[in-house]
């Protein structure tokens, strides 16, 4: 009999009750015991839901108080020394200290979970001796069994993935570390087996990246040790997010099941199975329901895919499952009341995906005839969206086809534009500027609330925004900045603001997903053809420009960032979506230019995030991402200066692509990349305008003049002074007014020192 399985379920709850519980506990509003009981309720609710829907293999230990990698580290007592942990179960104060920092100790680093927007806490191995603090999967298994009679499937992060995602050890120490971890894993698994656990899911997503011979040997050692110690336990070796590399090595490991992603790694995994077959003594976890996408699955297509797999495995060998944990999608579509029917009917969030899994399993066990109604309803919904006006805008499709067939190049090469621009703008050496936003005070947020609620009318709100602009234009002039900004007071979020004004976007009411810890994001949905409707930023920018003699930079979010921070349609490629966005944003760039704005910044902080996991796909992505940026910006006059901004990631390995974007000036986050970025400019000269962020805006601390002076000096050792700008690392919207003004004053002072220094050298 074919079975259904889930790899993990969202923690946050349909109404973000998990987030609320965590934050109430952190702020001292919830006692620890009350907190535990609230969290347990949430956890049991999620299990109950899967049980009621009829999922066969329900995951346990996928739930977390913050992050599953942090949980794994805590389970093995991998606690950085600075948290003064001694022994026993890790207390919540220490656990949350690692995640969020304490008065005495800084938090551990956090980084992106593969190519998702989820962030995990990076384990620090230096100086610790791993031990088992508590068998968390066992506790989770017992709880599900005792409270709900569920025969759960414990989920554990595998040793190879865990090690590869950790830091604080040398590569040459990898085997030493494995030798320490394997016995602990074995102990955990033995206790599970003793308890009567049938299946465990061991997650090894690292298997979709390139592995070397040593890693393959390590896999044999790890899974060989597990098989020898707990032969009775069925291990599902689970991979996701892409197809596995080294298929034949992996499917011959001594485990009972192999879980593969047939959504995001479809072509690679299918062709491996077709080429090499699938071992008859193993179970195939067929991840066919997209754990990361928000769309309904075409049941027809999925059944056809299973038919294909059935040529290589028997029904007894098949488990139908989600492609990865459902952590990456919102909880349910059910509560959405504001979406157009065509869109709502075509969506499937976590709960709806549970239904899909159960349906498909039923269809292959009992025959398609048993789900005819559902099949029909599903195809009907998908067809309705496909045929909707929003997805069939001929005007847009033709225009985008035409402009994407052209080479997006500026009229003059940078070296010549630069001269024309210098002549027009007459900027001093080392021009100073900021990244766009200024502090969003409580006053600003309240004003927006009043306006959204309808208490304030449009005029009242617009006049409030103009007052803020007035204040900040004056402040910027007083501080002595060269290129000013209007401050972005009318925006909450840099993607949402544009999404709300462009056609083709929809916004859910409850479509939250966990980004890190208790922080959730609600990505817009790009469901139709994206189209420019009317100017989005011209009014405020023009107003700001009317108040000063200094140039005011227009401020837009770039096509790739908008795309990477949204859920997108899947009937056309991401490349096509990027070009549609580029075409729409180009019209905004032109509108700004026509309104007399001569400097325009197109932010692309998220370029790096869309980078495919497989090296072989990366160049192609970068190529069209660069092209989309150039499409957005290439039609302006020679004198118009295009700026861009990047942050959040380390960019040192993609400088060539950044240069190819051909922005006249880039401002880029530097202070957190520990000099790596500067170092990369020693190796390649950067030939366009560039401002390396001279101070970190993530901290309320006011940077001293000397700190910035030394940053500037370091940068000038590798960058051309004639092309060098001075700016903070990122936008200032999360900062307070006083600290912002003082920090910027210090920045200007550091600039004056640099200018004086420079004229001496000259
Ligand atoms: N212009 C934006 C701002 O200053 C850029 C934000 C970002 O890089 N994330 O807020
Ligand atoms: Zn930024």
């Amino acid at each position: 009999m074919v079975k259904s399985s889930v790899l993990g379920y969202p923690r946050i709850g349909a109404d973000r009750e998990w987030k609320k519980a965590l934050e109430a506990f952190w702020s001292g509003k919830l006692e620890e015991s009350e907190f535990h009981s609230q969290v347990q309720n949430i956890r049991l609710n999620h299990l109950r839901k899967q049980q009621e829907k009829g999922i066969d293999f329900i995951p346990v230990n996928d739930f977390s108080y913050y992050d599953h990698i942090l949980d794994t580290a805590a389970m093995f007592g991998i606690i950085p020394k600075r948290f003064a942990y001694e022994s026993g179960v890790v207390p919540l104060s220490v656990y949350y200290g690692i995640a969020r920092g304490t008065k005495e100790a800084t938090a551990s680093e956090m980084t992106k979970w593969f190519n998702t927007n989820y962030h995990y806490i990076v384990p620090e191995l230096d100086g610790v001796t791993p031990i088992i603090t508590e068998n968390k999967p066992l506790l989770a298994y017992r709880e599900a069994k005792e409270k709900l009679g569920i025969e759960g499937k414990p989920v554990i992060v595998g040793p190879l993935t865990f090690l590869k995602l950790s830091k604080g050890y040398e590569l040459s120490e990898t085997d030493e570390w494995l030798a320490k971890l394997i016995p602990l894993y074995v102990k955990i698994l033995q206790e599970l087996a003793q308890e009567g656990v049938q299946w465990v899911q061991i997650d090894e997503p690292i298997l979709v990246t390139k592995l070397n011979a040593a890693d393959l040997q390590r896999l044999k050692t790890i899974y060989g040790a597990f098989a020898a110690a707990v032969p009775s336990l069925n291990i599902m070796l689970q991979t996701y997010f892409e197809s596995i590399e080294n298929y034949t090595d992996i499917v011959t490991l001594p485990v009972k099941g192999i879980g593969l992603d047939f959504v995001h790694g479809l072509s690679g995994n299918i062709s491996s199975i077709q080429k090499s077959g699938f071992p008859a003594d193993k179970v195939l976890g067929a991840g066919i329901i997209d754990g990361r996408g928000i769309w309904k699955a075409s049941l027809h297509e999925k059944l056809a895919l299973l038919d294909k797999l059935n040529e290589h495995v028997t029904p007894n060998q098949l488990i139908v499952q989600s492609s990865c944990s459902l952590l990456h999608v919102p909880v349910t579509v059910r509560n959405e009341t504001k979406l157009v029917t065509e869109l709502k009917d075509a969506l499937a969030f976590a709960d709806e995906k549970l239904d899909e899994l159960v349906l498909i399993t039923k269809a292959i066990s009992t025959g398609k005839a048993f789900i005819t109604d559902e099949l029909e309803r599903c195809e009907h919904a998908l067809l309705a969206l496909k045929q909707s006006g929003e997805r069939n805008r001929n005007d847009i499709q033709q225009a985008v086809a035409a402009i994407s067939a052209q080479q997006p190049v500026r009229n003059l090469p940078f070296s010549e534009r630069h001269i024309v621009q210098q002549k027009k703008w007459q900027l001093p050496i080392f021009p100073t500027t900021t990244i766009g936003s200024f502090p969003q005070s409580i006053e600003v947020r309240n004003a927006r609330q009043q306006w959204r609620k309808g208490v304030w009318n449009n005029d009242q709100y617009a006049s409030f925004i103009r007052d803020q602009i007035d204040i900040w234009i004056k402040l910027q002039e007083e501080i002595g900045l060269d290129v000013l900004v209007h401050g972005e007071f009318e925006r909450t979020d840099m993607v949402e603001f544009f999404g709300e004004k462009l056609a083709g976007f929809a916004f859910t009411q409850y479509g939250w997903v966990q980004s890190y810890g208790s922080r959730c994001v609600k990505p817009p949905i790009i469901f139709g053809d994206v189209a420019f409707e009317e100017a989005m930023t011209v009014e405020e920018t023009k107003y700001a420009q009317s108040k000063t003699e200094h140039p005011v930079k227009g401020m837009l979010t770039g096509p790739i960032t908008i795309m990477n921070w949204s859920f997108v349609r899947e009937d056309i490629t991401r490349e096509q979506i990027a070009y549609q966005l580029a075409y729409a944003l180009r019209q905004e760039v032109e509108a700004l230019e026509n309104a007399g704005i001569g400097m325009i910044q197109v932010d692309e902080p998220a370029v790096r995030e869309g980078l495919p996991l497989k090296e072989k796909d990366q160049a192609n992505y970068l190529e069209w991402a660069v092209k989309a940026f150039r499409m957005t910006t290439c039609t302006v006059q020679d004198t118009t200066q295009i700026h861009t901004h990047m942050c959040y990631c380390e960019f040192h390995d993609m400088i060539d692509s950044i240069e190819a974007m051909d922005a006249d000036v880039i401002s880029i986050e530097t202070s957190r990349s520990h000099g790596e970025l500067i170092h990369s400019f020693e190796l390649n000269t950067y030939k366009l305008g560039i401002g390396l962020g001279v101070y970190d805006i993530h901290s309320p601390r006011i940077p001293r003049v000397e700190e910035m002076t030394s940053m500037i000096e370091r940068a000038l050792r590798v960058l051309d002074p004639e092309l060098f700008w001075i700016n903070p690392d990122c936008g200032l919207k999360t900062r307070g007014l006083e600290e912002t003004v003082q920090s910027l004053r210090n920045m200007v002072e550091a600039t004056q020192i640099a200018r004086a220094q420079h004229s001496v050298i000259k």
Side-chain angles (χ1 to χ4, degrees), residues 7-22:
L7 272 53
Y9 186 84
R11 297 155 190 160
I12 59 175
D15 199 25
R16 284 182 296 159
E17 44 276 35
W18 180 82
K19 170 197 176 74
K20 289 168 194 164
L22 261 64

Side-chain angles (χ1 to χ4, degrees), residues 602-623:
V602 178
D603 290 327
E604 283 290 23
V607 172
R608 173 71 205 240
E609 295 189 13
L611 202 65
L613 284 175
K614 299 268 189 221
E615 254 169 59
K616 67 171 174 48
D617 302 330
Q618 293 177 350
N620 180 45
Y621 164 77
L622 287 171
E623 201 172 296

